[in-house]
Amino acid sequence: MQIFLARNNVQAGPYTLDQLNIMLASGEVVLDDLVWHEGFDQWQRLGDVTGNQYTYRPAATTTNDSIINNVTVFPEDTNNSASANDSSDNKVSLDRLYGKPERQTDDGKNAKVDMTTNRLHTPHNHVSLNKKSTSKLASSTDKVVGNVVLAPIMSRVLATAINALLYILAIFPLVLALTKMDVDYTKFQDIQNMDAAYQYSMSLMESLPSSTLMMSQVLVFGLFALQLVFITLRGQSLGKLITGIRVVDQTTHRLPSFGKRIGMRTLLLFIIYNLLFSFTSFLGFVVIAVHYYMASKSPENIGWHDKLAKTLVVKADDSQLSKLPK
């Protein structure tokens, strides 16, 4: 079976059924694309023939060329006599139909190509339906999903490290003051007696100069507010902004909803990691390592953060900030 696809008046193909399903799974072909193959009377939306699934299992069909008789006929196409027994007088060139230069025959004349001709023609190179700027962002080692380039795992690790470094810098005055005090760290290692650890930490805070506490609070809350602004407006923490990556929705490849950006990927993760690091720093690092290990083994670099919020981390592109048309 030879399958043809079309998007924005650009036709691509033919493809095999296996190739179509691979492109559907990867996101290069979307459900709103048009599809035609033998047995169809007209171009149809791909999602309509797959039942909005990302796998196409066509039923047995018979050839039906009535689609050819339903296209626009140009006057010069009907007046052109190619041969006495040629039945294509009422068939319009698909190149002209899709606004492309007509293909040339071996003798340099324009070829009037109809759907039947395309079914028998296998091009040397398949045409990608994606005409966006992914090629400019992607390298030979990058993973591409639809019209986005997945962020490399190391870029994501670096973004996390930058965010952690910024947090350490924000609390540095507090840490510096605590190093000058005789702190009993064993009180924080007893997981079963967290109330005693909390009371001890409060007594330490009361022993610190008020100017040091105020400076630390201003720096920490200022950093947190700045992070929220960039995440809200651009889907990027400061670390992601510096490394040139962004969080997008898994389905739309645009900025996720406010709830996913702020609720699921920011506030919830902030609470989870604060709890983990309050018990033991080792446990927090293990959970981070598990996340990136899952992402490295996933075809779409999806870790448990991404599964939770149904998001992808991709190379940043300005088109991801635009809203989808209603």
Side-chain angles (χ1 to χ4, degrees):
M1 173 184 291
Q2 292 185 320
I3 302 172
F4 294 85
L5 301 170
R7 180 191 301 173
N8 297 331
N9 289 341
V10 176
Q11 180 190 344
Y15 300 100
T16 65
L17 180 60
D18 288 340
Q19 288 172 327
L20 172 62
N21 284 328
I22 289 172
M23 291 188 293
L24 270 171
S26 70
E28 182 179 4
V29 172
V30 298
L31 296 180
D32 285 332
D33 289 335
L34 300 179
V35 63
W36 185 94
H37 61 71
E38 292 182 357
F40 281 7
D41 290 335
Q42 59 186 353
W43 290 91
Q44 298 188 42
R45 178 179 174 273
L46 185 55
D48 293 339
V49 300
T50 66
N52 288 321
Q53 301 299 312
Y54 288 90
T55 301
Y56 183 35
R57 298 184 179 88
T61 58
T62 58
T63 302
N64 189 329
D65 290 331
S66 61
I67 182 175
I68 300 172
N69 299 321
N70 291 331
V71 298
T72 304
V73 178
F74 292 88
E76 55 268 43
D77 291 325
T78 59
N79 295 330
N80 183 16
S81 56
S83 65
N85 57 358
D86 188 1
S87 62
S88 63
D89 289 342
N90 292 325
K91 299 171 186 175
V92 66
S93 163
L94 281 183
D95 286 332
R96 179 176 301 185
L97 182 63
Y98 289 102
K100 300 181 292 182
E102 295 193 35
R103 281 171 266 188
Q104 300 292 317
T105 58
D106 293 337
D107 59 0
K109 296 180 180 179
N110 286 339
K112 303 302 181 182
V113 184
D114 59 26
M115 186 60 75
T116 306
T117 306
N118 273 339
R119 284 204 298 269
L120 300 177
H121 173 69
T122 303
H124 295 292
N125 296 307
H126 289 306
V127 180
S128 173
L129 292 178
N130 289 302
K131 303 297 181 182
K132 301 187 179 179
S133 58
T134 54
S135 59
K136 295 187 293 184
L137 296 173
S139 66
S140 58
T141 58
D142 284 330
K143 298 179 183 178
V144 179
V145 176
N147 61 344
V148 295
V149 182
L150 297 181
I153 298 298
M154 290 310 300
S155 295
R156 297 174 61 175
V157 173
L158 179 59
T160 300
I162 291 173
N163 286 329
L165 178 61
L166 291 173
Y167 180 74
I168 291 172
L169 291 175
I171 64 173
F172 184 74
L174 181 62
V175 173
L176 189 62
L178 288 173
T179 57
K180 298 177 181 179
M181 301 175 62
D182 185 17
V183 180
D184 184 6
Y185 292 100
T186 60
K187 292 185 178 294
F188 298 102
Q189 298 174 358
D190 187 3
I191 300 177
Q192 296 180 349
N193 195 3
M194 293 303 299
D195 185 61
Y198 175 76
Q199 295 296 332
Y200 181 65
S201 64
M202 293 302 296
S203 65
L204 288 175
M205 294 298 105
E206 292 173 356
S207 303
L208 292 172
S210 58
S211 59
T212 301
L213 284 175
M214 182 175 296
M215 181 182 297
S216 295
Q217 290 173 351
V218 169
L219 290 175
V220 170
F221 284 109
L223 174 63
F224 191 66
L226 194 60
Q227 293 278 35
L228 284 179
V229 168
F230 278 98
I231 291 172
T232 301
L233 297 179
R234 302 184 59 85
Q236 296 170 295
S237 63
L238 292 175
K240 287 184 172 63
L241 181 66
I242 294 171
T243 54
I245 60 179
R246 171 180 288 123
V247 174
V248 298
D249 188 271
Q250 287 183 10
T251 303
T252 64
H253 295 173
R254 298 291 198 278
L255 286 185
S257 65
F258 183 82
K260 288 182 179 180
R261 273 178 285 168
I262 302 301
M264 300 299 290
R265 284 198 65 103
T266 303
L267 297 180
L268 182 59
L269 290 182
F270 180 79
I271 293 172
I272 290 174
Y273 281 114
N274 266 279
L275 290 175
L276 290 173
F277 279 101
S278 66
F279 285 117
T280 168
S281 59
F282 175 76
L283 183 59
F285 286 116
V286 167
V287 174
I288 292 176
V290 168
H291 167 68
Y292 287 120
Y293 177 78
M294 289 176 59
S296 67
K297 297 300 181 182
S298 166
E300 296 183 341
N301 291 0
I302 294 177
W304 69 267
H305 295 181
D306 312 298
K307 284 184 177 292
L308 189 67
K310 296 182 179 179
T311 55
L312 295 174
V313 182
V314 302
K315 288 190 175 182
D317 184 83
D318 289 341
S319 63
Q320 297 151 2
L321 299 176
S322 61
K323 294 182 179 180
L324 288 172
K326 294 183 179 180

